Amino acid sequence: MDRRTSAPSTGEALLFLTDEQLRQGIEAMFFAYRGFTADPDRILADMAYGRAHHRAIHFIGRAPSTTVNNLLNILGVTKQSLNRVLRTLITDGLVESRVGRMDKRERHLTLTQAGRTLEQTLSDAQRARMRAAYREAGPEAVAGFRTVLEAMMDTEMRNSYTRLKDTAS
Amino acid sequence: MDRRTSAPSTGEALLFLTDEQLRQGIEAMFFAYRGFTADPDRILADMAYGRAHHRAIHFIGRAPSTTVNNLLNILGVTKQSLNRVLRTLITDGLVESRVGRMDKRERHLTLTQAGRTLEQTLSDAQRARMRAAYREAGPEAVAGFRTVLEAMMDTEMRNSYTRLKDTAS
DNA sequence: TTGGAGTGTCAACAACACTGACATAAACTG
DNA sequence: CAGTTTATGTCAGTGTTGTTGACACTCCAA
């Protein structure tokens, strides 16, 4: 292997990473993400929905009764962009929007039964691919996979990610 | 909510993967990919270019003298979509298009000096993040990361990926 | 009461993907 | 050579998803 170590200033091992190694990682992310989204995209193509709808449905299903603002932070888009998506989902009866009890400005978003059904269909497809990849790679690889991905996130995204992970029970 | 998935029927290692574990992997991909593209996106936002230009520049720089058709296969977009991007890059003097010697129907694409400069700027930013993530995660995690990503790709993409990896030397 | 936060909406626009149709030149094939 | 296929370019139209900017409304808190 072309990995060399030298006297580290801290306690950590000092990793020398060639541009070539990094570029392979970059390309791996590019090609893998295409596969990652391919299955839900195929399903959504037949409906009037796209990837943005999938994301909204996923995170509403994940954290029911979440507010619009919370969803905005997770998705990292403008409220105008999210609103367009939410409006279609609400009028199509996939998402329910309830005025908050405490703070009546807030809207709490929950999947309807139809929304849960679609969410299930989409995530079944995505999980199937993820499961196959995990099985093929093995548990140690999966742990490494998760570790690198977490290190690659921006701080705020890592916070969102961790918060979701911890509220999972 | 600790539903177990079915076990593999063959003699492979028996991995029990809960829906929750898989969902965390899905969300990790989502958040990490945002970070992955954030730095080049920021740079490109100031110019008249977007992510599509970055991808074209990356793969032309990676495989100089590649043909349009080859690039189409790698990027997985329509020729109309790619052509729009290539046209701007060529007229802006970042990419050179030469008629093939053997087959004069083909156009061979190469980065100009200006193109290489931009490519360097963009990939420096992306590599910096990748390097930081790799260092933080450690070599075993990196190996696992790559293994899982490869397993997640569609077959054709994995072929493209491997071909690029092997021609790197 | 005033200021600000949370939300919804309108309009305009840009990036990037798609389909469909057509044109051109070169290469291949019978 | 004639006909077909391949590689590429281009035009026109459309859809999804993102952006700004502006404005209105409700409600909370100082």
Side-chain angles (χ1 to χ4, degrees), chain A residues 50-53 55 78 80-81 84 102:
Chain A
R51 214 176 279 181
H53 299 84
R55 290 197 285 259
T78 58
Q80 292 91 331
S81 202
R84 187 176 0 159
M102 299 303 174

Side-chain angles (χ1 to χ4, degrees), chain B residues 122-133:
Chain B
L122 294 171
S123 62
D124 276 354
Q126 203 160 35
R127 273 200 299 266
R129 183 185 290 257
M130 192 66 75
R131 188 180 295 116

Side-chain angles (χ1 to χ4, degrees), chain A residues 128-149:
Chain A
R129 183 184 289 259
M130 192 65 75
R131 188 181 298 116
Y134 273 20
R135 283 218 178 110
E136 192 180 326
E140 305 84 8
V142 168
F145 167 72
R146 293 268 299 269
T147 305
V148 173
L149 288 188

